[in-house]
Amino acid sequence: MLLSMRWLSDYVKIDEPIHDFCEKMTMSGSKVESYSTEGEEISKVVVGRVLSVVKHPNADSLVICQVEVGQEQPVQIVTGATNVVPGALVPVALDGSTLPHGVSIRRGKLRGEVSNGMLCSLSELGVSVHDFPYAIEDGIFLLQEDCEIGQDIRSAIGLNDTVVDFEITSNRPDCLSITGLAREASATFKASLMIPQPLVRSESGRVEDLLNVEVQNTDLCLRYIGRVVKNVKIGPSPRWMRERLRACGVRPINNIVDITNYVMLEYGQPMHAFDYSLVKGGKIVVRNAREGETITTLDGIERRLSPSMLVIADCERPTAVAGVMGGEYSGIMEDTQTIVFESACFDGGSVRLTAKALGMRTESSSRYEKGLDPNTCLPAIQRACELVELLGAGEVVGGMIDSNPAGRAAATLPFTPDWINRFLGIELSEKEMIEILQSIGFSVFEGRITVPTWRADIECGADVAEEIARFYGYNRIPTTSLRGSAQGSLTSEQKFTRRIHQTLLAQGLSEIITYTFISPKNYDKIELPQQSELRRSLVIQNPLGEDTSIMRTTALPSLLDIVARNYNNRNEAALLYEIGTEYTPTREGELPLEHQQITLGGYREGYDFFQLKGVIVTLLEKLNVVGYEFIQKTDHPTFHPGRCAELTVNGESCGIFGEIHPKVAENYGVGTRIYAASIRVEVLYRNHQPLKDCRPLPRFPASMRDLALICEENMPAAELEKAIRSSVGPVLERLRLFDVYQGAQIPSGKKSIAYSLSLRAGDHTLTDEEADAAVKRALKALDKIGVSLRA
């Protein structure tokens, strides 16, 4: 928000250097981004009077001017302008002067004739025909201002205002106005605030005879006020209005349009003016757009509307997009005779969605979307009509049409001085608190605070305390020790996740973090079948590009992208892991299911399937996950069919691991074996034991037995171990595989597997009979699955 200090002085007198003003306003909560003075790059440019104009003797396109500039002698200036005439007042850049954009002027010769400076055009002074409508764009600026010879050009044309740029937070739309910032300045500097009530002195006729307003959607249109002005005289605005608009970054256009912009800046209330002759039937309807309806906005672009958008329409068609921009055929023209002023308050969320959908963000929409006060509509439209009378721009028709005139009710809160002092750690009297609150428009009566309706951000006692603190002075609040105590701890899930990180890092893996949105092409790279359920992904409505257009259903492509990058960067080894989110779509219109997944893997010389399995086993043991098994997996398209296994925990599928299929590795441009795993965190968490069972050291000796078994070549060792453990029972302390053999002494298609069994009872020494019985139970169970004792 740009603030003209000259404009501010109409409401509050601040006798402070600009640097101090900015610092104190920032300290009281109105953050200043920067400040500048108009025309500060211009120096030694004065008002001059042209005494004579003669043709240059050596150039047909140049003339020699003698110009009076307030010095003892006139100065000679050579120019190529064709509109310079004797007696004209012109801006003269003297020898040694500077102009905007770093231009400097020095005395010199043009075709043999001395030129002691330059006569300036509008653009050379940094202004335009919008600022001075009587001037011409191409040619010397012939002044029609009330000025003196030799006067500094900046003061002569009003190009010397100081402008302060404020950063206004979204919860303070009231400060997107000159009056709002004046209120803040008044409270900051304890200066009197003077905001006069707008007054329309002369009215004729009845607005009801000309205009009818119907608000069909009162949820999105909180208030709508319409007034009519007849016998309009379109023309330039006075200089003081053009100067203030220019200082606040708004281009002057004509008196009626400038009035609406002026009121928007002054009160923070956007306004719009319609050409009454273009309002068909003399009726304004505030309604939702109809399906397929279009409007051509003031910028000349045809825009398609949707039924969720609010429009201002007449009896036939939309004439404006509510809160965003008017229509091309409703604007003010040079021949406009009668106008309708609109001052309305629209729902901020609706305006933002509409502006975003149409790809337009205007001064009006940026204000509405922050939530304006409906009660500001009335003084704003009265001010517009007052300015019409002041500028002689037309005749105000009597009365107004006000839909929902009740506006917004003022909120009230309890006034608790003692609590505020304790909360802030200060000692401020009740009287001082009331003075601060009253300075910003609050009122206090019988222990209740009435909050002004423009402060919708004040909702509780802490908000009131903040208002008192910022005007009391944050720097005056004493430093105190924290009172009370705060205890925080990790949840069980957070502790579990932290243990995963610690275990994987301890095994030499490096953590990575990847984006959860990927390209659909990534599914092709990991060779997912077209009918795979994993290809059904959540599509992002406004993606940055095709490569980030869907939410991943598997994190494997993200891991493999990083592995490939390391390989292509010639890193000798890369063992990586990530605990990331995968997304499973649900029914249309509902949010997807999100679950955490451990994705790990990489490559290293000598690294193989069993080393990866060892990492997983170590992780399961550190997490105290019980009941896990590994099952051979041969049909997963991403993994090698002979070097892949599924991890199950208590019969529930938990993940998959193994060597990445050579075709997938080729798709990623990796010329070495890649090993990877994908494991569900939630399954691990459900099946882990928070505390490990501890047993005392054994008091009795163990009995050792060895079993050499013959089984089918393709039978997994885990199946044999499962049969032995289930049959031997609790006396089996440890089962260790110590030999696998295939050779001449073993039948073809068979293999020999040897196990060492450690048997021990907790309450006595096992006898030979008990140990032999346990072995017999094991052999009986093994015989049922086709495994026999090796002879």
Side-chain angles (χ1 to χ4, degrees):
M1 173 67 191
L2 298 178
L3 172 67
S4 161
M5 294 299 292
R6 188 176 294 160
W7 196 348
L8 179 69
S9 65
D10 284 359
Y11 309 110
V12 59
K13 304 296 182 183
I14 306 296
D15 187 19
E16 292 274 349
I18 187 61
H19 180 272
D20 294 346
F21 171 82
C22 295
E23 182 179 4
K24 291 178 181 179
M25 288 293 287
T26 297
M27 290 302 295
S28 67
S30 302
K31 182 184 176 185
V32 174
E33 286 287 304
S34 62
Y35 68 87
S36 60
T37 302
E38 287 185 306
E40 58 188 346
E41 295 177 293
I42 299 174
S43 66
K44 294 189 70 175
V45 181
V46 299
V47 176
R49 184 194 304 276
V50 179
L51 300 178
S52 65
V53 180
V54 298
K55 189 176 179 181
H56 194 292
N58 302 319
D60 293 337
S61 60
L62 299 178
V63 294
I64 301 173
C65 303
Q66 299 297 323
V67 185
E68 181 184 1
V69 293
Q71 300 176 0
E72 292 183 2
Q73 298 293 329
V75 296
Q76 177 173 297
I77 295 179
V78 179
T79 179
T82 58
N83 66 323
V84 181
V85 295
L89 296 179
V90 293
V92 181
L94 301 174
D95 179 31
S97 61
T98 59
L99 296 172
H101 311 299
V103 177
S104 59
I105 305 300
R106 293 289 183 267
R107 179 178 181 273
K109 286 186 177 182
L110 291 176
R111 302 295 293 271
E113 294 294 330
V114 174
S115 182
N116 292 295
M118 182 179 76
L119 305 185
C120 300
S121 65
L122 286 171
S123 60
E124 286 163 341
L125 295 175
V127 292
S128 69
V129 291
H130 296 286
D131 303 304
F132 298 94
Y134 61 81
I136 63 173
E137 197 158 8
D138 298 323
I140 299 303
F141 181 16
L142 303 184
L143 296 164
Q144 296 180 15
E145 309 299 317
D146 183 13
C147 52
E148 299 177 357
I149 306 302
Q151 182 180 355
D152 185 273
I153 194 64
R154 293 173 57 206
S155 65
I157 64 174
L159 193 64
N160 56 355
D161 197 357
T162 299
V163 180
V164 181
D165 187 4
F166 285 89
E167 179 188 337
I168 306 300
T169 54
S170 58
N171 66 322
R172 291 299 307 275
D174 60 298
C175 287
L176 289 169
S177 65
I178 305 297
T179 53
L181 290 173
R183 195 178 295 113
E184 293 289 305
S186 170
T188 300
F189 295 95
K190 297 180 173 57
S192 299
L193 180 66
M194 300 167 291
I195 303 179
Q197 289 296 320
L199 179 62
V200 182
R201 301 182 183 276
S202 177
E203 299 178 350
S204 61
R206 296 174 66 251
V207 69
E208 292 84 358
D209 298 335
L210 298 171
L211 184 65
N212 182 23
V213 175
E214 178 187 354
V215 179
Q216 295 182 358
N217 191 333
T218 54
D219 292 331
L220 299 185
C221 180
L222 310 181
R223 191 172 189 179
Y224 193 98
I225 304 178
R227 294 206 69 170
V228 176
V229 177
K230 61 184 181 180
N231 298 326
V232 172
K233 302 177 183 64
I234 304 296
S237 300
R239 171 177 155 176
W240 61 266
M241 180 176 282
R242 299 197 308 269
E243 285 181 4
R244 293 181 176 188
L245 291 174
R246 180 186 66 220
C248 293
V250 177
R251 186 184 69 181
I253 298 175
N254 60 51
N255 50 5
I256 298 299
V257 175
D258 291 351
I259 284 173
T260 61
N261 288 330
Y262 189 90
V263 172
M264 179 181 68
L265 293 172
E266 189 173 33
Y267 284 84
Q269 172 63 45
M271 290 190 61
H272 189 66
F274 297 96
D275 187 329
Y276 178 77
S277 66
L278 299 175
V279 180
K280 303 300 182 183
K283 183 175 182 180
I284 289 177
V285 183
V286 184
R287 60 171 173 81
N288 288 78
R290 300 188 178 103
E291 190 68 49
E293 210 164 28
T294 61
I295 184 174
T296 301
T297 47
L298 284 172
D299 54 8
I301 300 174
E302 184 180 36
R303 303 180 188 274
R304 179 169 295 276
L305 305 174
S306 68
S308 63
M309 299 175 182
L310 194 70
V311 297
I312 313 300
D314 56 20
C315 293
E316 297 180 1
R317 61 184 178 183
T319 57
V321 182
V324 183
M325 185 180 285
E328 183 179 37
Y329 303 109
S330 68
I332 305 302
M333 310 297 179
E334 291 185 0
D335 59 348
T336 297
Q337 297 294 317
T338 304
I339 63 170
V340 178
F341 273 135
E342 167 195 283
S343 180
C345 186
F346 304 110
D347 177 73
S350 172
V351 172
R352 174 161 176 78
L353 291 174
T354 298
K356 187 176 181 180
L358 295 178
M360 342 166 36
R361 195 164 190 268
T362 61
E363 282 284 341
S364 294
S365 68
S366 65
R367 283 170 164 77
Y368 276 122
E369 67 189 27
K370 294 175 176 62
L372 298 182
D373 178 14
N375 295 340
T376 309
C377 294
L378 180 58
I381 202 167
Q382 290 292 83
R383 176 60 166 159
C385 293
E386 182 184 48
L387 289 171
V388 167
E389 290 188 341
L390 181 64
L391 273 57
E395 300 173 15
V396 181
V397 175
M400 68 183 69
I401 296 177
D402 188 353
S403 175
N404 191 20
R408 177 186 291 167
T412 62
L413 295 170
F415 180 46
T416 53
D418 292 339
W419 180 87
I420 291 173
N421 277 330
R422 291 196 305 272
F423 183 72
L424 297 177
I426 61 176
E427 294 181 4
L428 201 61
S429 69
E430 181 177 328
K431 179 182 177 182
E432 290 173 306
M433 289 186 186
I434 293 175
E435 288 176 352
I436 290 175
L437 293 174
Q438 289 176 340
S439 69
I440 51 175
F442 292 62
S443 61
V444 182
F445 182 71
E446 294 184 349
R448 300 288 297 181
I449 300 172
T450 301
V451 181
T453 55
W454 64 77
R455 291 301 305 275
D457 59 310
I458 305 298
E459 298 178 343
C460 61
D463 295 329
V464 175
E466 181 184 2
E467 296 302 300
I468 291 172
R470 66 192 185 95
F471 291 109
Y472 172 77
Y474 291 119
N475 55 331
R476 295 176 58 194
I477 298 177
T479 302
T480 57
S481 301
L482 288 174
R483 295 185 293 271
S485 60
Q487 294 181 348
S489 61
L490 298 175
T491 65
S492 175
E493 292 87 349
Q494 289 172 327
K495 291 178 181 177
F496 187 78
T497 303
R498 181 168 290 188
R499 201 175 308 139
I500 295 174
H501 283 290
Q502 293 170 343
T503 303
L504 294 176
L505 289 170
Q507 296 188 82
L509 280 77
S510 300
E511 184 184 7
I512 60 172
I513 300 175
T514 62
Y515 292 119
T516 55
F517 35 79
I518 61 173
S519 167
K521 296 177 182 178
N522 284 19
Y523 295 146
D524 296 329
K525 294 177 73 173
I526 63 172
E527 298 292 326
L528 278 184
Q530 291 298 322
Q531 67 274 16
S532 173
E533 189 66 19
L534 291 177
R535 283 185 177 269
R536 192 172 69 88
S537 306
L538 190 71
V539 180
I540 301 173
Q541 288 186 350
N542 55 340
L544 298 175
E546 184 184 0
D547 290 344
T548 55
S549 59
I550 61 172
M551 304 303 291
R552 66 189 181 190
T553 57
T554 171
L556 274 173
S558 304
L559 172 76
L560 294 176
D561 277 333
I562 306 301
V563 170
R565 186 179 306 167
N566 278 269
Y567 179 81
N568 293 326
N569 288 338
R570 299 186 180 182
N571 289 339
E572 294 182 359
L575 297 177
L576 314 170
Y577 82 92
E578 177 184 23
I579 302 178
T581 307
E582 295 178 347
Y583 299 84
T584 302
T586 54
R587 289 182 296 182
E588 186 175 352
E590 294 185 3
L591 293 174
L593 300 177
E594 301 182 25
H595 49 85
Q596 295 295 104
Q597 196 84 356
I598 306 170
T599 312
L600 60 92
Y603 62 91
R604 187 177 65 191
E605 186 177 356
Y607 205 75
D608 60 16
F609 174 87
F610 296 104
Q611 286 182 303
L612 175 63
K613 180 184 176 183
V615 170
I616 297 171
V617 169
T618 302
L619 176 64
L620 296 172
E621 291 178 351
K622 292 294 182 181
L623 297 176
N624 206 22
V625 175
V626 295
Y628 63 86
E629 290 185 66
F630 301 108
I631 302 173
Q632 185 178 5
K633 188 80 171 174
T634 61
D635 58 352
H636 197 288
T638 307
F639 290 89
H640 192 294
R643 303 182 187 122
C644 177
E646 181 182 9
L647 169 65
T648 64
V649 182
N650 294 321
E652 182 179 6
S653 178
C654 182
I656 193 166
F657 68 95
E659 181 184 334
I660 293 297
H661 197 287
K663 176 62 176 174
V664 175
E666 181 182 340
N667 292 342
Y668 281 92
V670 178
T672 188
R673 292 183 177 182
I674 308 173
Y675 294 89
S678 180
I679 302 171
R680 293 284 290 271
V681 175
E682 57 195 48
V683 177
L684 297 181
Y685 181 76
R686 280 199 304 268
N687 292 279
H688 91 289
Q689 294 181 354
L691 298 176
K692 281 194 174 184
D693 294 332
C694 296
R695 292 178 294 177
L697 293 173
R699 297 171 53 194
F700 302 98
S703 295
M704 306 300 297
R705 296 289 189 274
D706 290 340
L707 292 177
L709 306 170
I710 298 292
C711 66
E712 296 294 331
E713 183 180 10
N714 58 357
M715 177 173 286
E719 190 172 345
L720 278 68
E721 294 179 9
K722 184 178 180 180
I724 294 172
R725 291 183 187 278
S726 61
S727 59
V728 172
V731 297
L732 179 62
E733 182 182 58
R734 187 179 64 175
L735 177 64
R736 183 174 66 88
L737 172 67
F738 67 87
D739 183 56
V740 177
Y741 173 72
Q742 285 180 287
Q745 301 168 350
I746 305 298
S748 176
K750 303 284 186 178
K751 64 182 175 182
S752 170
I753 298 182
Y755 286 98
S756 173
L757 284 68
S758 176
L759 307 173
R760 193 194 308 263
D763 55 354
H764 67 282
T765 300
L766 285 178
T767 64
D768 290 340
E769 291 78 10
E770 290 175 316
D772 292 340
V775 171
K776 288 180 181 179
R777 291 197 301 271
L779 292 174
K780 186 176 181 180
L782 289 168
D783 184 61
K784 291 181 179 180
I785 61 174
V787 180
S788 60
L789 192 66
R790 179 180 173 184

